[in-house]
Amino acid sequence: MNALSRKMIRDLWHLRGQVIATALVVACGVASFVAMRSTYESLVESQNTYYSKYRFADVFASLKRAPESASRSIAAIPGVASVQTRVVAKVTLDLPDLPEPAQGRLISVPESGPEGLNLLFLVRGRKLEPGNADEVVISGAFADANGLHPGDSVKAVMNGRLRKLQVVGVALSPEYIYEIRPGDIFPDNRRFGVLWMNQRSVASAFQMEDSFNDVALTLSPVASESDVIAQLDRILTPYGGIGAYGRADQLSHRFLANELAELEVHGTLIPVIFLGVTAFLLHLVLSRLVSVEREQIGLLKAFGYSNAQVGLHYLQLAVLAIFGGIILGIATGWWMGSGMANLYGEFFNFPILEYGVSFSLVIWSLLISIGAAGAGAAAAVYGAVRLPPAEAMRPEPPANFQAGFVESSGFQRVLSTESRIVARNLARRPLKALFSALGISLSIALLFIGFYFFDAITRIVQVQFEHTQREDVEVTFNEPRPARAVFELASLPGVRTVEPYRAVSARLRYGNHSRRIAILGMEANSDLRRIVDKDLNVINVPAEGLVLGRTIADSLGVREGDRVIVEVTEGSRPIKEIQVTKVAEELLGLGSYMDSRALNRLMNEGETVSGAFLAVDADAQPALYSKLKRTPAVSGVSLPQAALDSFNETMAKTIGTSTLFMIGFACVIAFGVVYNGTRITLAERGRELASLRVLGFTEREIAAMLLGEQGVLTVAAVPLGWMLGLLLCFIITRVVDAEIVRLPMVLSVQTFVYSALIVIVAAAVSGLLVAWRLRRMDLIAVLKTRE
């Protein structure tokens, strides 16, 4: 072992407290990076494998009815690799343990012939057998939520007739990784499920023999998706096509892609902040070490060590100081990522979700961490390299102080001796005080971000489930109904209020941009379902014009007052230019709204409704549900409370879990920053404090001088940390702006209090540790130290 290696070991042991604190900060940054990136990579790999192996389609289209012969025209479209036609229908399900009716999406499965698209992964049970008319395979999430198994039976209203269906299998499909009812924001697996049935049985039940009402395509590698969609629409328009769309607009894929994009951003942004703090800490530690070791650096150079060798020595010291943190971070991130992957697996239905940490991710963790260490050590290394031997061996010249603000203002007369020394040290080294406060403020900002996520979730729940969705029950019809259906709903048991709505699928176009949406026609001044923005402002739909959610408006590039082309993709398929009268800052969903009467006029129809929002007496709900189960026109029932429970089980659960980890990491970082700052101050002022002890000052008094300075810096860092936290939260709301859930810029008093309180507690604990070291200080040894 050479001399520099022995010196390095001694330095690491001497700085062990600061090295451990810095290594823990590094571990937090690496763990967050490994956990989020590995979860993202595992989900993407599982998604790609699942899509490929089970032949997930590229293009989808629904229609009224087309003869099977039309599939030949579809297959002839240039770029189409394979075609699967099918019959898809809504059915009402009567489950024994569920009071309200459930909705099923019944999908036909070919009984024979070549392998189709959107293949099923059988979880348990068996596949459908040709010729068995009443057999169904049900989706895994629906089966688990309702405790259904192969051999059980379910009752279904199919085309107005009640049938008893035998469950023979439970399966998953790449088409329903995120199993959600069209029009909903969150899954309700208790009340919505997918059922697969033999083609002949479904066609017979809905009088669709030799016909289809749904088609899925895969494309060749060189195909143009937009051209295929345009030609597919031309073929299906005579048959009541409601607009083809690509995989990006497929409901399950869009939700999954949205979540993956958000996870990818989090996996980059949060670790960058953590590792930035790491670089700052290493800069403080090594700068202090180089300052203390001026004489040793001069001796090393005098004995022939080159600038490169000295610089490499201190750079190696920085890397070794964080190496343990890197290893701990990778191991912790691996463990955390496995938990996060399991959490995502609870509501993303993958047949196999294999979690793993790739070798490339480990290498990136090492490179990024070492890069952060190098960046933090760069200034200190440069300072060590540029010191000439003769100058380095001389003591550093003392600072040239003069009377400052404290003395000239007379402020010192009202201060005690200890307070006066604290004030002078801060006033005479303002730049050092600023950087010390900045280091503490960064830990406050990280805590601030963590608590902000809880504030955002609370506001989303408040806006959506207290102010927007105020109905007790939402009833959806299997097809648009005349206005008299409203009076029939009003006559049902316990119904106090009925607010009908009309829902129409359409495509909005503005310039070169287009977006496939559902327009919700609402009554003016509706009370049960309202449009509420992030600031709790209620927006009433105008008599004419469109109200668009911010996400839709931004994707089209429109502002209030612009006119967009509305291409309705159902019914008579009218096309009309309509003005955007309001852009609503909604927090959930992809809203697009019109006055229901204006929408009826656009559709060239009378007062037609697609469903209704109901206010219902609680004690009458069982009777109401029993009646709705026997109503053929009703295809589904939704409950806001079920949507809230689903939100808490999906978005809120994942955000909350990752936020708890981040708050824990921020607490570690807060302690590391404050402890390092206090120890560096002790090292810099050790001789001064020892001299004061010899002059008669007590341990309590010199502790007050040292810790008082850190206390002032901590208090000063609080408002600075809040400002940095506000800035970072604002950046997060802009960078992590998912389509389905948008984070509001809203903060509670608790966020300010807790973020400051944790750092103050960390400062107090650090102060106790440093005070313990002060009591063990060897005054003679310290005073022998040469300045």
Short mmCIF file of all heavy atoms in Angstrom, two decimals, residues 399-452:
data_model
loop_
_atom_site.label_atom_id
_atom_site.label_comp_id
_atom_site.label_asym_id
_atom_site.label_seq_id
_atom_site.Cartn_x
_atom_site.Cartn_y
_atom_site.Cartn_z
N ALA A 399 -7.82 36.08 7.85
CA ALA A 399 -8.76 37.00 7.20
C ALA A 399 -8.58 38.41 7.75
O ALA A 399 -8.28 38.60 8.93
CB ALA A 399 -10.18 36.52 7.42
N ASN A 400 -8.80 39.40 6.89
CA ASN A 400 -8.66 40.80 7.28
C ASN A 400 -10.04 41.36 7.58
O ASN A 400 -10.78 41.77 6.69
CB ASN A 400 -7.99 41.58 6.15
CG ASN A 400 -7.72 43.03 6.56
OD1 ASN A 400 -7.71 43.35 7.74
ND2 ASN A 400 -7.52 43.88 5.57
N PHE A 401 -10.43 41.34 8.87
CA PHE A 401 -11.75 41.79 9.25
C PHE A 401 -11.70 43.25 9.67
O PHE A 401 -10.67 43.78 10.09
CB PHE A 401 -12.30 40.95 10.41
CG PHE A 401 -12.61 39.53 10.02
CD1 PHE A 401 -12.10 38.47 10.75
CD2 PHE A 401 -13.42 39.26 8.93
CE1 PHE A 401 -12.39 37.16 10.41
CE2 PHE A 401 -13.71 37.96 8.58
CZ PHE A 401 -13.20 36.91 9.31
N GLN A 402 -12.86 43.89 9.58
CA GLN A 402 -13.02 45.26 10.07
C GLN A 402 -14.41 45.40 10.65
O GLN A 402 -15.23 44.50 10.51
CB GLN A 402 -12.81 46.25 8.93
CG GLN A 402 -13.75 46.04 7.75
CD GLN A 402 -13.42 46.95 6.58
OE1 GLN A 402 -12.51 47.75 6.65
NE2 GLN A 402 -14.18 46.84 5.51
N ALA A 403 -14.65 46.52 11.31
CA ALA A 403 -15.95 46.73 11.93
C ALA A 403 -17.05 46.64 10.86
O ALA A 403 -16.97 47.29 9.83
CB ALA A 403 -16.00 48.10 12.61
N GLY A 404 -18.02 45.82 11.17
CA GLY A 404 -19.11 45.63 10.21
C GLY A 404 -20.41 46.17 10.74
O GLY A 404 -20.45 47.02 11.62
N PHE A 405 -21.51 45.63 10.20
CA PHE A 405 -22.84 46.12 10.55
C PHE A 405 -23.13 45.95 12.04
O PHE A 405 -23.70 46.82 12.68
CB PHE A 405 -23.89 45.38 9.72
CG PHE A 405 -25.30 45.61 10.19
CD1 PHE A 405 -25.96 46.80 9.87
CD2 PHE A 405 -25.98 44.67 10.96
CE1 PHE A 405 -27.25 47.03 10.32
CE2 PHE A 405 -27.27 44.89 11.39
CZ PHE A 405 -27.91 46.09 11.07
N VAL A 406 -22.73 44.79 12.59
CA VAL A 406 -23.05 44.52 14.00
C VAL A 406 -22.42 45.57 14.90
O VAL A 406 -23.03 46.09 15.84
CB VAL A 406 -22.57 43.11 14.39
CG1 VAL A 406 -22.82 42.84 15.88
CG2 VAL A 406 -23.28 42.05 13.54
N GLU A 407 -21.13 45.92 14.61
CA GLU A 407 -20.43 46.89 15.46
C GLU A 407 -20.89 48.32 15.18
O GLU A 407 -21.16 49.11 16.10
CB GLU A 407 -18.92 46.80 15.23
CG GLU A 407 -18.28 45.52 15.75
CD GLU A 407 -18.44 44.36 14.77
OE1 GLU A 407 -18.93 44.60 13.64
OE2 GLU A 407 -18.09 43.22 15.13
N SER A 408 -21.00 48.70 13.92
CA SER A 408 -21.32 50.09 13.58
C SER A 408 -22.75 50.47 13.94
O SER A 408 -23.04 51.64 14.18
CB SER A 408 -21.08 50.33 12.07
OG SER A 408 -21.90 49.45 11.31
N SER A 409 -23.65 49.52 13.97
CA SER A 409 -25.04 49.83 14.28
C SER A 409 -25.31 49.90 15.77
O SER A 409 -26.37 50.36 16.19
CB SER A 409 -25.96 48.76 13.67
OG SER A 409 -25.69 47.50 14.26
N GLY A 410 -24.35 49.46 16.57
CA GLY A 410 -24.56 49.45 18.01
C GLY A 410 -25.42 48.28 18.46
O GLY A 410 -25.79 48.16 19.62
N PHE A 411 -25.74 47.40 17.51
CA PHE A 411 -26.59 46.25 17.80
C PHE A 411 -25.94 45.29 18.79
O PHE A 411 -26.62 44.59 19.53
CB PHE A 411 -26.90 45.53 16.47
CG PHE A 411 -27.89 44.42 16.60
CD1 PHE A 411 -29.17 44.63 17.10
CD2 PHE A 411 -27.54 43.12 16.22
CE1 PHE A 411 -30.08 43.60 17.22
CE2 PHE A 411 -28.44 42.09 16.33
CZ PHE A 411 -29.72 42.32 16.84
N GLN A 412 -24.57 45.33 18.83
CA GLN A 412 -23.86 44.39 19.68
C GLN A 412 -24.14 44.64 21.16
O GLN A 412 -23.98 43.74 21.99
CB GLN A 412 -22.36 44.49 19.42
CG GLN A 412 -21.78 45.87 19.70
CD GLN A 412 -20.28 45.92 19.49
OE1 GLN A 412 -19.63 44.88 19.50
NE2 GLN A 412 -19.73 47.10 19.29
N ARG A 413 -24.55 45.88 21.50
CA ARG A 413 -24.75 46.19 22.92
C ARG A 413 -25.94 45.45 23.51
O ARG A 413 -26.03 45.29 24.72
CB ARG A 413 -24.94 47.70 23.09
CG ARG A 413 -23.65 48.50 22.92
CD ARG A 413 -23.82 49.93 23.39
NE ARG A 413 -24.69 50.70 22.50
CZ ARG A 413 -24.27 51.38 21.44
NH1 ARG A 413 -22.97 51.39 21.14
NH2 ARG A 413 -25.10 52.05 20.68
N VAL A 414 -26.87 45.03 22.70
CA VAL A 414 -28.05 44.33 23.22
C VAL A 414 -27.86 42.81 23.14
O VAL A 414 -28.78 42.06 23.49
CB VAL A 414 -29.31 44.73 22.43
CG1 VAL A 414 -29.57 46.22 22.56
CG2 VAL A 414 -29.21 44.31 20.97
N LEU A 415 -26.70 42.37 22.66
CA LEU A 415 -26.45 40.94 22.51
C LEU A 415 -25.53 40.43 23.60
O LEU A 415 -24.66 41.16 24.08
CB LEU A 415 -25.82 40.64 21.15
CG LEU A 415 -26.65 40.97 19.90
CD1 LEU A 415 -25.83 40.72 18.65
CD2 LEU A 415 -27.95 40.17 19.86
N SER A 416 -25.71 39.16 23.96
CA SER A 416 -24.77 38.53 24.88
C SER A 416 -23.47 38.25 24.13
O SER A 416 -23.39 38.38 22.91
CB SER A 416 -25.36 37.21 25.40
OG SER A 416 -25.53 36.30 24.32
N THR A 417 -22.45 37.86 24.88
CA THR A 417 -21.15 37.58 24.24
C THR A 417 -21.27 36.49 23.20
O THR A 417 -20.75 36.60 22.08
CB THR A 417 -20.12 37.16 25.31
OG1 THR A 417 -20.01 38.20 26.30
CG2 THR A 417 -18.76 36.90 24.68
N GLU A 418 -21.96 35.39 23.55
CA GLU A 418 -22.12 34.29 22.60
C GLU A 418 -22.88 34.74 21.35
O GLU A 418 -22.49 34.42 20.22
CB GLU A 418 -22.87 33.12 23.25
CG GLU A 418 -22.23 32.60 24.53
CD GLU A 418 -22.87 33.20 25.76
OE1 GLU A 418 -22.55 34.38 26.05
OE2 GLU A 418 -23.69 32.54 26.40
N SER A 419 -23.97 35.49 21.56
CA SER A 419 -24.77 35.95 20.42
C SER A 419 -23.97 36.91 19.54
O SER A 419 -24.11 36.90 18.31
CB SER A 419 -26.04 36.64 20.92
OG SER A 419 -26.80 35.76 21.71
N ARG A 420 -23.11 37.73 20.18
CA ARG A 420 -22.31 38.67 19.42
C ARG A 420 -21.33 37.93 18.51
O ARG A 420 -21.14 38.29 17.34
CB ARG A 420 -21.57 39.60 20.39
CG ARG A 420 -21.02 40.88 19.75
CD ARG A 420 -20.34 41.74 20.80
NE ARG A 420 -21.19 41.89 21.96
CZ ARG A 420 -20.75 42.10 23.19
NH1 ARG A 420 -19.45 42.16 23.43
NH2 ARG A 420 -21.60 42.24 24.20
N ILE A 421 -20.71 36.87 19.02
CA ILE A 421 -19.77 36.09 18.22
C ILE A 421 -20.50 35.41 17.05
O ILE A 421 -19.99 35.38 15.93
CB ILE A 421 -19.06 35.05 19.11
CG1 ILE A 421 -18.13 35.77 20.10
CG2 ILE A 421 -18.29 34.03 18.27
CD1 ILE A 421 -17.48 34.86 21.11
N VAL A 422 -21.70 34.90 17.34
CA VAL A 422 -22.49 34.27 16.26
C VAL A 422 -22.80 35.29 15.18
O VAL A 422 -22.63 35.04 13.98
CB VAL A 422 -23.79 33.66 16.83
CG1 VAL A 422 -24.74 33.27 15.70
CG2 VAL A 422 -23.48 32.46 17.71
N ALA A 423 -23.27 36.48 15.59
CA ALA A 423 -23.64 37.51 14.62
C ALA A 423 -22.44 37.96 13.80
O ALA A 423 -22.54 38.17 12.58
CB ALA A 423 -24.26 38.71 15.34
N ARG A 424 -21.26 38.11 14.47
CA ARG A 424 -20.06 38.54 13.74
C ARG A 424 -19.62 37.49 12.72
O ARG A 424 -19.24 37.83 11.60
CB ARG A 424 -18.93 38.81 14.74
CG ARG A 424 -19.05 40.13 15.47
CD ARG A 424 -17.99 40.24 16.52
NE ARG A 424 -18.03 41.54 17.20
CZ ARG A 424 -17.36 41.82 18.30
NH1 ARG A 424 -16.60 40.88 18.87
NH2 ARG A 424 -17.44 43.01 18.86
N ASN A 425 -19.64 36.23 13.11
CA ASN A 425 -19.23 35.18 12.18
C ASN A 425 -20.12 35.16 10.92
O ASN A 425 -19.63 34.97 9.81
CB ASN A 425 -19.27 33.81 12.86
CG ASN A 425 -18.02 33.56 13.69
OD1 ASN A 425 -16.94 33.96 13.31
ND2 ASN A 425 -18.18 32.90 14.82
N LEU A 426 -21.41 35.34 11.13
CA LEU A 426 -22.33 35.33 9.99
C LEU A 426 -22.13 36.57 9.12
O LEU A 426 -22.14 36.49 7.88
CB LEU A 426 -23.78 35.25 10.48
CG LEU A 426 -24.18 33.93 11.17
CD1 LEU A 426 -25.58 34.04 11.76
CD2 LEU A 426 -24.13 32.77 10.18
N ALA A 427 -21.96 37.72 9.76
CA ALA A 427 -21.81 38.97 9.01
C ALA A 427 -20.49 39.03 8.26
O ALA A 427 -20.41 39.62 7.17
CB ALA A 427 -21.95 40.16 9.96
N ARG A 428 -19.43 38.45 8.81
CA ARG A 428 -18.10 38.55 8.20
C ARG A 428 -17.88 37.51 7.11
O ARG A 428 -16.96 37.64 6.31
CB ARG A 428 -17.03 38.41 9.29
CG ARG A 428 -16.97 39.62 10.20
CD ARG A 428 -16.04 39.38 11.38
NE ARG A 428 -15.90 40.60 12.19
CZ ARG A 428 -15.22 40.66 13.33
NH1 ARG A 428 -14.62 39.57 13.81
NH2 ARG A 428 -15.13 41.80 14.00
N ARG A 429 -18.70 36.44 7.10
CA ARG A 429 -18.59 35.43 6.04
C ARG A 429 -19.96 35.23 5.40
O ARG A 429 -20.55 34.15 5.48
CB ARG A 429 -18.09 34.10 6.62
CG ARG A 429 -16.67 34.18 7.20
CD ARG A 429 -16.26 32.80 7.69
NE ARG A 429 -14.88 32.78 8.18
CZ ARG A 429 -14.54 33.04 9.43
NH1 ARG A 429 -15.47 33.37 10.33
NH2 ARG A 429 -13.28 32.99 9.81
N PRO A 430 -20.48 36.26 4.75
CA PRO A 430 -21.84 36.16 4.21
C PRO A 430 -21.99 35.10 3.12
O PRO A 430 -23.02 34.43 3.04
CB PRO A 430 -22.10 37.57 3.65
CG PRO A 430 -20.73 38.14 3.41
CD PRO A 430 -19.86 37.56 4.46
N LEU A 431 -20.96 34.94 2.28
CA LEU A 431 -21.06 33.96 1.19
C LEU A 431 -21.10 32.54 1.76
O LEU A 431 -21.89 31.70 1.31
CB LEU A 431 -19.88 34.12 0.24
CG LEU A 431 -20.03 33.42 -1.12
CD1 LEU A 431 -21.23 33.95 -1.86
CD2 LEU A 431 -18.76 33.60 -1.96
N LYS A 432 -20.25 32.27 2.75
CA LYS A 432 -20.24 30.95 3.38
C LYS A 432 -21.59 30.69 4.06
O LYS A 432 -22.14 29.58 3.97
CB LYS A 432 -19.12 30.89 4.41
CG LYS A 432 -19.08 29.60 5.21
CD LYS A 432 -17.93 29.62 6.19
CE LYS A 432 -17.95 28.38 7.07
NZ LYS A 432 -19.13 28.31 7.94
N ALA A 433 -22.13 31.71 4.75
CA ALA A 433 -23.43 31.55 5.40
C ALA A 433 -24.53 31.27 4.38
O ALA A 433 -25.42 30.44 4.60
CB ALA A 433 -23.76 32.81 6.22
N LEU A 434 -24.44 31.97 3.23
CA LEU A 434 -25.45 31.78 2.19
C LEU A 434 -25.43 30.34 1.66
O LEU A 434 -26.48 29.71 1.51
CB LEU A 434 -25.22 32.77 1.05
CG LEU A 434 -26.14 32.63 -0.16
CD1 LEU A 434 -27.59 32.89 0.24
CD2 LEU A 434 -25.72 33.59 -1.27
N PHE A 435 -24.24 29.81 1.39
CA PHE A 435 -24.15 28.45 0.87
C PHE A 435 -24.58 27.42 1.91
O PHE A 435 -25.20 26.40 1.57
CB PHE A 435 -22.73 28.17 0.38
CG PHE A 435 -22.46 28.67 -1.01
CD1 PHE A 435 -21.68 29.80 -1.23
CD2 PHE A 435 -23.02 28.04 -2.10
CE1 PHE A 435 -21.45 30.28 -2.50
CE2 PHE A 435 -22.79 28.50 -3.39
CZ PHE A 435 -22.00 29.63 -3.59
N SER A 436 -24.26 27.67 3.16
CA SER A 436 -24.69 26.75 4.22
C SER A 436 -26.22 26.73 4.31
O SER A 436 -26.84 25.67 4.42
CB SER A 436 -24.08 27.16 5.56
OG SER A 436 -22.67 27.09 5.51
N ALA A 437 -26.82 27.92 4.27
CA ALA A 437 -28.28 27.99 4.31
C ALA A 437 -28.90 27.36 3.07
O ALA A 437 -29.96 26.70 3.14
CB ALA A 437 -28.73 29.45 4.42
N LEU A 438 -28.23 27.49 1.93
CA LEU A 438 -28.73 26.89 0.69
C LEU A 438 -28.75 25.37 0.80
O LEU A 438 -29.70 24.71 0.37
CB LEU A 438 -27.86 27.32 -0.49
CG LEU A 438 -28.24 26.74 -1.86
CD1 LEU A 438 -29.65 27.17 -2.25
CD2 LEU A 438 -27.24 27.16 -2.92
N GLY A 439 -27.69 24.79 1.40
CA GLY A 439 -27.66 23.34 1.57
C GLY A 439 -28.82 22.85 2.42
O GLY A 439 -29.46 21.84 2.11
N ILE A 440 -29.10 23.56 3.51
CA ILE A 440 -30.22 23.17 4.37
C ILE A 440 -31.54 23.38 3.65
O ILE A 440 -32.47 22.56 3.74
CB ILE A 440 -30.18 23.98 5.68
CG1 ILE A 440 -28.87 23.71 6.43
CG2 ILE A 440 -31.37 23.64 6.57
CD1 ILE A 440 -28.64 24.61 7.62
N SER A 441 -31.65 24.46 2.88
CA SER A 441 -32.91 24.76 2.18
C SER A 441 -33.24 23.69 1.14
O SER A 441 -34.41 23.43 0.86
CB SER A 441 -32.84 26.13 1.53
OG SER A 441 -31.90 26.15 0.46
N LEU A 442 -32.21 23.05 0.56
CA LEU A 442 -32.47 21.99 -0.42
C LEU A 442 -33.18 20.82 0.23
O LEU A 442 -34.08 20.21 -0.37
CB LEU A 442 -31.15 21.53 -1.05
CG LEU A 442 -30.50 22.49 -2.05
CD1 LEU A 442 -29.11 21.99 -2.44
CD2 LEU A 442 -31.37 22.63 -3.30
N SER A 443 -32.79 20.47 1.46
CA SER A 443 -33.48 19.37 2.15
C SER A 443 -34.91 19.76 2.49
O SER A 443 -35.83 18.93 2.41
CB SER A 443 -32.71 18.98 3.41
OG SER A 443 -32.61 20.07 4.29
N ILE A 444 -35.14 21.02 2.84
CA ILE A 444 -36.51 21.49 3.10
C ILE A 444 -37.33 21.39 1.82
O ILE A 444 -38.50 20.97 1.83
CB ILE A 444 -36.49 22.94 3.63
CG1 ILE A 444 -35.81 22.99 5.00
CG2 ILE A 444 -37.90 23.51 3.72
CD1 ILE A 444 -35.62 24.40 5.54
N ALA A 445 -36.72 21.76 0.69
CA ALA A 445 -37.45 21.71 -0.60
C ALA A 445 -37.85 20.29 -0.95
O ALA A 445 -38.96 20.06 -1.45
CB ALA A 445 -36.57 22.30 -1.70
N LEU A 446 -36.98 19.31 -0.68
CA LEU A 446 -37.32 17.92 -0.97
C LEU A 446 -38.49 17.45 -0.12
O LEU A 446 -39.40 16.76 -0.60
CB LEU A 446 -36.10 17.03 -0.73
CG LEU A 446 -34.94 17.19 -1.73
CD1 LEU A 446 -33.74 16.38 -1.28
CD2 LEU A 446 -35.35 16.77 -3.12
N LEU A 447 -38.48 17.80 1.15
CA LEU A 447 -39.60 17.47 2.01
C LEU A 447 -40.87 18.16 1.54
O LEU A 447 -41.97 17.59 1.56
CB LEU A 447 -39.29 17.87 3.45
CG LEU A 447 -38.25 17.00 4.18
CD1 LEU A 447 -37.72 17.72 5.41
CD2 LEU A 447 -38.87 15.67 4.57
N PHE A 448 -40.72 19.39 1.11
CA PHE A 448 -41.84 20.18 0.63
C PHE A 448 -42.52 19.46 -0.55
O PHE A 448 -43.75 19.37 -0.61
CB PHE A 448 -41.32 21.55 0.20
CG PHE A 448 -42.38 22.61 0.04
CD1 PHE A 448 -42.71 23.43 1.10
CD2 PHE A 448 -43.03 22.79 -1.16
CE1 PHE A 448 -43.68 24.42 0.96
CE2 PHE A 448 -43.98 23.77 -1.31
CZ PHE A 448 -44.32 24.58 -0.26
N ILE A 449 -41.71 18.94 -1.47
CA ILE A 449 -42.25 18.22 -2.63
C ILE A 449 -43.03 17.00 -2.18
O ILE A 449 -44.13 16.71 -2.68
CB ILE A 449 -41.12 17.81 -3.59
CG1 ILE A 449 -40.45 19.04 -4.20
CG2 ILE A 449 -41.65 16.92 -4.71
CD1 ILE A 449 -39.19 18.71 -4.98
N GLY A 450 -42.45 16.25 -1.22
CA GLY A 450 -43.12 15.04 -0.74
C GLY A 450 -44.50 15.33 -0.17
O GLY A 450 -45.48 14.67 -0.53
N PHE A 451 -44.60 16.33 0.70
CA PHE A 451 -45.89 16.65 1.30
C PHE A 451 -46.84 17.29 0.29
O PHE A 451 -48.06 17.17 0.42
CB PHE A 451 -45.70 17.57 2.51
CG PHE A 451 -45.05 16.89 3.68
CD1 PHE A 451 -43.79 17.27 4.12
CD2 PHE A 451 -45.69 15.85 4.33
CE1 PHE A 451 -43.19 16.63 5.19
CE2 PHE A 451 -45.09 15.20 5.40
CZ PHE A 451 -43.84 15.60 5.83
N TYR A 452 -46.30 17.94 -0.73
CA TYR A 452 -47.14 18.53 -1.76
C TYR A 452 -47.99 17.47 -2.48
O TYR A 452 -49.16 17.71 -2.79
CB TYR A 452 -46.28 19.28 -2.80
CG TYR A 452 -46.96 19.41 -4.14
CD1 TYR A 452 -48.01 20.28 -4.32
CD2 TYR A 452 -46.56 18.62 -5.22
CE1 TYR A 452 -48.65 20.38 -5.55
CE2 TYR A 452 -47.18 18.71 -6.44
CZ TYR A 452 -48.23 19.60 -6.60
OH TYR A 452 -48.87 19.67 -7.81
#
